[in-house]
Amino acid sequence: MTTDLDKLANRYVAVWNEPDQTKRRNGIERLWVQDGLHFTPTREVKGYDALEARVEESHSKFVRDQGFIFRVSGEPLGHHGLVKFYWVMVDPQSDTVNAVGSDVVLLDASGCIISDYQFTEPLSRA
């Protein structure tokens, strides 16, 4: 499997930033398999409709209402169909990082996400 890990991570983050509902749904369908899974410590969603609702909820709360944007942080790492990457949620006016997270995704042979495990990392305020 040859997946460009940087492109994958950037496409993933772009879906969470996308203001247009149709483009966001199209992005989800290009990233995940039809019955793709997304896990956080408190939820589990499966399939395009549930993924769309999950991304829409996050987008509305953080991007639309609070003005934050998500960005990839660092270089994604991967092997054997598994990819890990970090992301940050920033205030685009000040570049202040307000959240840090990571995702570990399992890909199928075509490079689509089968399962996605999302983590929120501690913010170091040193």
Side-chain angles (χ1 to χ4, degrees), residues 1 4 13 21 24 29 36 43 51 58 60 72 91 93 102 108 117 123 126:
M1 175 184 57
D4 183 332
V13 169
Q21 185 177 2
R24 193 167 43 243
E29 291 181 7
R43 61 174 85 189
L51 287 162
S58 177
S60 295
V72 174
D91 177 341
Q93 304 301 319
S102 63
D108 71 2
Y117 297 82
L123 250 186

Side-chain angles (χ1 to χ4, degrees), residues 36-50:
L37 297 163
H38 172 78
F39 300 99
T40 72
T42 59
R43 61 174 85 189
E44 175 181 328
V45 299
K46 180 179 182 178
Y48 291 151
D49 291 343

Side-chain angles (χ1 to χ4, degrees), residues 17-87:
N17 289 323
E18 178 56 58
D20 182 90
Q21 185 177 2
T22 301
K23 289 180 182 178
R24 193 167 43 243
R25 174 64 181 237
N26 290 339
I28 288 166
E29 291 181 7
R30 284 192 303 274
L31 278 169
W32 274 272
V33 297
Q34 186 171 3
D35 59 350
L37 297 163
H38 172 78
F39 300 99
T40 72
T42 59
R43 61 174 85 189
E44 175 181 328
V45 299
K46 180 179 182 178
Y48 291 151
D49 291 343
L51 287 162
E52 182 178 13
R54 165 72 175 113
V55 174
E56 169 67 28
E57 177 187 2
S58 177
H59 179 273
S60 295
K61 181 177 179 180
F62 299 113
V63 178
R64 185 192 70 202
D65 295 349
Q66 296 183 50
F68 295 120
I69 59 170
F70 295 98
R71 294 182 185 153
V72 174
S73 179
E75 286 190 40
L77 299 172
H79 59 83
H80 296 89
L82 201 62
V83 179
K84 179 179 182 178
F85 59 91
Y86 288 91
W87 50 264

